[in-house]
């Protein structure tokens, strides 16, 4: 046996001997050794449970937490966790530990009351315990350097490295709107990204240089933070814009001042917080002032911090507020929180809340805490327990470093110790972390492929073969809006994995996931179930609709959707010709919009397609003039046209105007007819008067006419003209009559106009 193993074995034996004296610390060490095990001492959950029980009776909160965890999960088969008694014991142990100040149990108890696990939902109790954990988190954040402690995110979903639960392109996390995000090789390709940026930086690309500095400063999941390297990159950018004495170098490219100011903000932040070098307020102030000249938000915020706390400058709250304000106007979240704090101190809760809400969009932990406090105390608004508990939960979960087991879980998973990783992820899941719940379900999931490949797989340990526990965690993850977990939950109910098969529950899960319009897998599953009548009524038409929506959601589903539609159309055709009972595929009717009478008239007047193209130019001009009047009325009334009363008044006015025009035209026609009759009577009276006076006139002039005729040698014998012989039959003089737009009664064309044969 190797020396290291001998030492480990001797240490375990020594702890066992010491534990006989019942020292709490020694008993706890023995319990931990049996629970986690090591290279020489395998896990012994029965012994661990016994030792934790001894410590729990002594009031040791960490032992009470471990007992609650074992009762809740049934790990190692020590207790049965599928009974109400086991869940009640779990809640009891966690409550004891939470009241004794264990943050992990505070999170666990709050999560159980928040979601109703093993107990009825109780918002007040959930808010109480979440507030305790959130208060510790915010105190830890504020205990850091100026600007707060850096809260790094440690937990991540294991399935994302494989493109999601269903693989690349089929999962919500790697398809649709999430397709532009990093794929499964993202973390492995970080070295390639850094190499490319370094190459571009060597070629003089300052954007690449600044990106290198920011990436090394912030770090990541697979890249540790390096303040020294970040300082080198930021200094390379600033030297291209400023000289050592702070003068701007002439002849720079446009836009370099923006990058240089951002780099100056990071350098000032590092001097202010002492990151990678000693704290130097004078140097921090120098870099902040340089960046402020170009309006950089980070530099403005840094200046505000220094004046607020009197760091290297005289304390001046008013000047600090000015810097915070201009920085907040550029949507810089920490500055928005500072402005919200100042407004809250002045009693302006409404405006302060707006600033906190703006900052919360960027995930600022202090913004969420203030929003939780405002909702919990009912400041400026009605008290809301649900909103307060939700915000407190976010704050508590952001402090992963102080109470979550994600660091140990990730390390164990990287080392290939899947069982240890599972235990740590289960602890995180019990605390209410959705990432932990999804990871537990993913590690326990044996349904990663639809093909029967069980014979070719490596046999898993009994601890990893627990489909019922997998379903429980898929369900808990789905309740926290994980769409892929919701679809997986439906798969388990459909196949009867970890529970009895229930097609209706499976369809309900797929339907709930489909409502987000993000999962093509859920939509396709619904189409398949409607096609075959599994869990729902068989309906070919509805099946086609779901298949189409699956393709619209994710274009990568083209092949399966096309094949499914081809088979579906064949089945629908056969169902139609054989008069089957299933509803076949039908053409979608065009959507018809229901209009009110006012909307119908308005659309009729505005739609050019509703005009009759055979109208005369005169009628077109009339209709167009009426169209312009309606638009003019819309300009006058503005938004009031949406009111039905105004529309009704306009319609009544138009109808009244039309009636007046008809009445006026009828009166005009009657006047024309009367005038014509009077003129005809006058014309008939004039010939009668002429006949009465004509004989005397003829006798009076007859001798002269005879004499004249005799003198002219017979010209007087010429017979009189027809008009003179029959004056009563002479045609009346023409009278000019205005016909107007249409023929009037008595007009020769009037009959044809009535029949529609004449257009004027």
């Amino acid at each position: 046996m190797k020396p290291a193993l001998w030492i480990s074995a001797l240490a375990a034996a020594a702890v066992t001997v010491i534990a006989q004296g019942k020292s709490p610390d020694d008993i706890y060490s023995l319990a931990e050794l049996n629970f986690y095990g090591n290279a020489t001492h395998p896990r012994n959950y029965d012994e661990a449970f016994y030792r934790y029980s001894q410590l729990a009776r002594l009031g040791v909160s960490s032992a009470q937490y471990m007992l609650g965890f074992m009762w809740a999960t049934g790990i190692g088969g020590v207790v049965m966790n599928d009974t109400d008694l086991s869940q009640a014991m779990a809640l009891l142990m966690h409550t004891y530990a939470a009241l004794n100040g264990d943050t992990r149990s505070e999170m666990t108890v709050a999560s159980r009351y928040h979601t109703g696990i093993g107990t009825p939902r109780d918002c007040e109790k959930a808010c109480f315990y979440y507030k305790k954990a959130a208060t510790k988190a915010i105190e830890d954040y504020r205990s850091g350097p100026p600007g707060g402690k850096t809260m790094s995110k440690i937990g991540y979903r294991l399935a994302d490295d494989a493109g999601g639960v269903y693989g690349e392109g089929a999962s919500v996390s790697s398809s649709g709107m999430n397709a532009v995000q990093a794929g499964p090789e993202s973390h492995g390709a970080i070295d390639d990204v850094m190499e490319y940026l370094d190459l571009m930086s060597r070629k003089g690309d300052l954007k690449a240089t600044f990106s290198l500095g920011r990436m090394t400063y912030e770090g990541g999941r697979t890249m540790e933070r390096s303040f020294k390297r970040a300082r080198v990159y930021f200094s390379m950018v600033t030297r291209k814009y400023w000289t050592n004495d702070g003068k701007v170098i002439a002849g720079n490219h446009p836009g370099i001042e923006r990058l240089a100011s951002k780099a100056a903000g990071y350098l000032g932040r590092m001097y202010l917080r002492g990151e990678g070098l000693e704290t130097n307020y004078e140097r921090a102030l120098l870099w902040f002032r340089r960046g402020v000249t170009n309006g950089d938000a980070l530099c403005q915020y840094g200046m505000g911090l220094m004046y607020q706390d009197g760091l290297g400058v005289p304390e001046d709250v008013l000047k600090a507020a000015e810097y915070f304000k201009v920085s907040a106007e550029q949507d810089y979240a920490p500055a928005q929180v500072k402005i919200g704090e100042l407004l809250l101190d002045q009693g302006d809760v409404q405006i302060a809340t707006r600033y906190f809400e703006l900052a919360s969009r960027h995930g600022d932990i202090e913004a969420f805490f203030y929003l939780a406090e405002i909702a919990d105390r009912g400041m400026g608004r009605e008290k809301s327990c649900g909103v307060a508990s939700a915000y407190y939960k976010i704050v508590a979960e952001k402090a992963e470093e102080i109470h979550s087991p994600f660091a140990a879980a990730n390390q164990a998973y990287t080392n290939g110790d899947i069982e240890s990783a599972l235990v740590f992820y289960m602890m995180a899941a019990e605390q209410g972390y959705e990432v932990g719940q999804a990871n537990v379900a993913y590690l326990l999931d044996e349904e990663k492929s639809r093909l029967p490949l069980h014979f070719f797989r490596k046999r898993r340990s009994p601890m990893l073969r627990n489909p019922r526990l997998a379903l429980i965690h898929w369900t808990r993850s789905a309740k926290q809006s994980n769409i892929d977990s919701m679809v997986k939950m439906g798969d388990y109910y459909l196949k009867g994995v970890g529970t009895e098969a229930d097609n209706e529950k499976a369809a309900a899960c797929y339907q709930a996931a489909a409502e987000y319009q993000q999962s093509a897998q859920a939509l396709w599953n619904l189409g398949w179930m409607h096609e075959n009548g599994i869990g729902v009524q068989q309906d070919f038409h509805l099946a086609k609709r779901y298949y189409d929506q699956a393709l619209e959601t994710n274009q990568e589903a083209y092949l399966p959707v096309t094949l499914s539609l081809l088979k579906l159309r064949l089945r629908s055709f056969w169902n139609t010709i054989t008069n089957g009972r299933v509803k076949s595929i039908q053409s979608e009717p065009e959507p018809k919009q229901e209009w009110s009478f006012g909307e119908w008239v308005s659309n009729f007047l505005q739609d050019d397609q509703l005009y009759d193209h055979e109208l005369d130019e005169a009628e077109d001009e009339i209709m167009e003039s009426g169209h312009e009047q309606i638009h003019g009325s819309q300009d006058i009334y503005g938004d009031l046209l949406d009111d039905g009363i105004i529309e009704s008044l306009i319609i009544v006015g138009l109808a009244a105007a039309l009636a007046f025009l008809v009445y006026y035209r009828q009166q005009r026609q009657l006047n024309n007819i009367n005038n014509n009759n009077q003129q005809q009577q006058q014309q008939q009276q004039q010939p009668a008067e002429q006949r009465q006076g004509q004989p005397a006139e003829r006798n009076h002039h007859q001798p002269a006419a005879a004499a004249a005729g005799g003198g002219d040698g017979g010209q007087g014998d010429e017979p009189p003209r027809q008009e003179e012989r029959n004056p009563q039959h002479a045609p009346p003089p023409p009278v000019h009559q205005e016909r107007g737009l249409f023929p009037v009664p008595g007009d020769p064309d009037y009959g044809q106009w009535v029949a529609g044969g004449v257009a004027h």
Side-chain angles (χ1 to χ4, degrees):
M1 183 178 293
K2 296 182 180 179
L5 300 181
W6 274 105
I7 295 174
S8 178
L10 290 174
V15 171
T16 305
V17 173
I18 295 174
Q20 303 300 326
K22 297 185 179 180
S23 170
D25 293 337
D26 298 333
I27 296 177
Y28 185 78
S29 299
L30 185 60
E32 292 283 285
L33 177 64
N34 283 279
F35 184 84
Y36 295 105
N38 59 23
T40 60
H41 189 81
R43 295 184 178 91
N44 189 338
Y45 292 111
D46 291 320
E47 181 67 17
F49 185 84
Y50 171 72
R51 297 301 180 183
Y52 284 135
S53 299
Q54 288 181 320
L55 294 173
R57 297 189 187 97
L58 300 176
V60 179
S61 61
S62 56
Q64 293 168 341
Y65 164 76
M66 292 303 297
L67 277 181
F69 173 74
M70 297 183 76
W71 276 108
T73 59
I75 187 171
V78 180
V79 295
M80 299 298 294
N81 69 320
D82 57 350
T83 63
D84 295 337
L85 176 62
S86 61
Q87 296 303 316
M89 287 296 298
L91 181 60
L92 179 64
M93 291 293 104
H94 280 304
T95 302
Y96 284 148
L99 294 176
N100 288 327
D102 189 279
T103 308
R104 298 170 299 176
S105 287
E106 290 172 351
M107 295 278 292
T108 304
V109 174
S111 176
R112 284 178 168 262
Y113 281 118
H114 184 67
T115 56
I117 299 176
T119 181
R121 297 183 63 179
D122 192 326
C123 183
E124 294 294 337
K125 291 183 179 180
C127 186
F128 172 77
Y129 286 105
Y130 269 136
K131 183 175 182 178
K132 294 181 66 175
T135 302
K136 295 178 181 179
I138 204 67
E139 289 176 353
D140 181 71
Y141 171 79
R142 292 171 177 171
S143 65
K149 183 179 179 180
T150 302
M151 293 291 186
S152 301
K153 184 173 178 57
I154 305 174
Y156 66 93
R157 295 185 183 89
L158 300 177
D160 290 347
D161 285 348
V165 173
Y166 292 98
E168 184 72 21
S171 306
V172 174
S173 59
S174 60
S175 63
M177 65 179 65
N178 300 319
V180 297
Q181 298 181 3
E185 294 85 10
S186 60
H187 302 292
I190 189 66
D191 293 335
D192 296 335
V193 175
M194 295 292 291
E195 183 178 355
Y196 171 76
L197 291 175
D198 183 67
L199 175 63
M200 299 303 296
S201 176
R202 294 177 185 275
K203 292 182 179 181
D205 190 342
L206 293 181
K207 290 184 179 179
T209 306
F210 176 78
S211 298
L212 285 171
R214 188 174 61 182
M215 292 176 67
T216 53
Y217 176 83
E218 296 176 352
R221 181 180 135 195
T222 59
M223 183 176 64
E224 296 183 359
R225 303 181 70 184
S226 177
F227 297 122
K228 183 178 180 180
R229 293 178 59 192
R231 180 188 175 191
V232 172
Y233 288 125
F234 291 140
S235 299
M236 291 173 60
V237 177
T238 57
R239 282 197 293 266
K240 293 292 184 180
Y241 185 71
W242 288 294
T243 61
N244 292 333
D245 56 357
K247 295 182 179 180
V248 178
I249 300 175
N252 286 315
H253 298 289
I256 188 176
E257 69 280 356
R258 179 172 171 270
L259 287 175
S261 299
K262 288 183 175 294
Y266 278 101
L267 289 173
R269 178 182 173 88
M270 294 171 70
Y271 278 110
L272 178 65
R273 296 165 59 89
E275 295 174 332
L277 37 78
E278 294 184 1
T279 302
N280 190 327
Y281 296 142
E282 183 179 355
R283 297 289 297 176
L285 186 63
L286 182 146
W287 286 113
F288 285 149
R289 283 176 173 171
R290 290 184 181 182
V292 165
T293 57
N294 293 317
D296 182 69
L298 176 57
C299 293
Q300 293 166 347
Y301 172 72
M303 292 288 291
L305 286 177
M306 298 187 73
Y307 278 107
Q308 183 186 44
D309 300 330
L311 305 176
V313 294
E315 184 175 341
D316 191 336
V317 179
L318 294 178
K319 186 173 289 188
E322 293 178 0
Y323 281 113
F324 288 145
K325 186 175 186 299
V326 294
S327 179
E329 290 174 352
Q330 299 187 58
D331 202 21
Y332 190 64
Q336 292 170 339
V337 172
K338 291 297 182 182
I339 292 294
E341 290 177 350
L342 295 174
L343 292 171
L344 198 61
D345 291 339
Q346 297 174 4
D348 195 346
V349 181
Q350 298 295 334
I351 305 300
T353 302
R354 294 180 185 177
Y355 277 101
F356 293 142
E357 290 174 348
L358 290 173
S360 67
R361 294 181 296 113
H362 303 281
D364 190 275
I365 184 173
E366 281 194 302
F368 285 118
F369 184 76
Y370 279 117
L371 290 173
E373 288 284 281
I374 291 173
D376 184 38
R377 300 181 183 182
M379 301 170 59
R381 61 175 64 181
E382 186 178 355
K383 182 178 179 180
S384 177
C385 175
V387 174
S389 60
Y391 282 134
Y392 281 134
K393 181 179 188 293
I394 295 174
V395 175
E397 291 184 352
K398 281 185 173 294
E400 295 179 351
E401 294 181 349
I402 65 175
H403 55 68
S404 77
F406 281 127
N410 296 341
Q411 186 63 44
Y413 183 77
T414 303
N415 296 336
D417 189 357
I418 306 301
E419 291 187 1
S420 296
L422 176 64
V423 172
F424 288 121
Y425 284 131
M426 288 173 66
M427 292 179 177
E430 285 296 309
Q431 295 177 29
Y433 284 98
E434 188 277 324
V435 173
Q437 295 165 351
N439 287 347
V440 171
Y442 182 74
L443 291 176
L444 295 176
D445 183 34
E446 297 187 80
E447 302 297 323
K448 293 183 174 65
S449 175
R450 296 184 180 275
L451 300 177
L453 302 177
H454 302 285
F455 297 102
F456 302 97
R457 295 176 182 170
K458 183 179 178 180
R459 186 169 181 80
R460 296 156 62 97
S461 65
M463 187 175 180
L464 298 177
R465 295 199 304 270
N466 194 337
R468 181 181 175 278
L469 189 61
L471 176 59
I472 291 175
H473 285 86
W474 284 130
T475 304
R476 294 178 182 178
S477 175
K479 288 183 178 180
Q480 299 198 58
S481 302
N482 188 319
I483 302 176
D484 283 334
S485 296
M486 181 70 72
V487 180
K488 263 292 184 181
M489 183 179 166
D491 293 345
Y492 274 51
Y493 280 115
L494 182 65
K495 299 178 182 179
V497 179
T499 184
E500 295 181 359
D502 192 330
N503 295 331
E504 293 183 358
K505 285 186 177 181
C509 293
Y510 295 144
Q511 185 65 48
E515 290 179 355
Y516 292 92
Q517 291 295 322
Q518 296 182 20
S519 177
Q521 183 71 46
L523 292 167
W524 190 92
N525 290 350
L526 282 174
W528 178 81
M529 297 185 78
H530 280 89
E531 178 184 355
N532 297 280
I534 298 177
V536 293
Q537 184 177 0
Q538 193 174 13
D539 190 328
F540 292 154
H541 181 72
L542 197 55
K544 178 184 179 299
R545 182 177 298 177
Y546 281 116
Y547 285 144
D548 292 338
Q549 290 180 355
L551 183 58
E552 293 175 359
T553 302
N554 186 3
Q555 294 298 322
E556 295 186 17
Y558 174 78
L559 180 59
V561 169
T562 302
L563 295 176
S564 300
L565 286 175
L566 178 61
K567 178 171 66 71
L568 178 64
R569 288 188 179 278
L570 292 176
R571 295 184 64 180
S572 177
F573 174 74
W574 179 256
N575 177 75
T576 302
I577 63 177
T578 58
N579 295 324
R581 298 181 179 180
V582 183
K583 182 179 179 181
S584 300
I585 299 176
Q586 301 174 0
S587 59
E588 295 288 346
E590 296 183 359
K592 295 183 179 180
Q593 183 178 3
E594 295 183 359
W595 292 338
S596 64
F597 180 74
E599 292 175 342
W600 185 88
V601 173
S602 178
N603 291 329
F604 177 80
L605 295 176
Q606 293 179 8
D607 193 353
D608 293 338
Q609 295 180 355
L610 296 179
Y611 287 131
D612 186 0
H613 296 289
E614 296 181 357
L615 291 177
D616 296 346
E617 295 180 357
E619 293 178 343
D620 290 336
E621 292 176 357
I622 294 175
M623 296 299 293
E624 290 175 359
S625 64
H627 183 65
E628 293 174 357
Q629 291 176 1
I630 293 175
H631 279 289
S633 64
Q634 290 178 347
D635 294 335
I636 294 173
Y637 290 106
D639 295 336
L640 292 178
L641 282 178
D642 296 334
D643 195 335
I645 298 177
I646 300 299
E647 291 182 354
S648 300
L649 292 176
I650 294 175
I651 295 171
V652 171
L654 292 175
L658 182 61
F660 174 77
L661 292 176
V662 173
Y663 174 79
Y664 175 77
R665 180 170 183 78
Q666 291 178 350
Q667 293 297 322
R668 187 175 178 180
Q669 291 177 352
L670 291 175
N671 292 334
N672 291 334
I673 294 173
N674 293 333
N675 293 334
N676 293 335
N677 293 334
Q678 291 178 1
Q679 290 177 2
Q680 291 178 0
Q681 292 177 1
Q682 291 176 1
Q683 292 173 5
Q684 293 176 359
Q685 291 176 359
Q686 288 178 359
E689 294 176 355
Q690 292 177 1
R691 287 195 303 269
Q692 293 176 0
Q694 190 168 3
E697 186 175 358
R698 284 183 179 178
N699 296 331
H700 177 73
H701 294 286
Q702 188 173 2
D712 289 338
Q715 291 182 359
D717 296 336
E718 182 180 356
R721 291 177 293 182
Q722 184 69 26
E723 292 83 352
E724 297 178 354
R725 293 196 305 264
N726 299 316
Q728 66 274 15
H729 297 289
V735 179
H736 178 71
Q737 179 179 350
E738 182 182 358
R739 295 179 57 182
L741 183 64
F742 305 106
V744 299
D747 194 306
D749 295 331
Y750 179 77
Q752 297 183 7
W753 175 78
V754 172
V758 177
H760 292 270

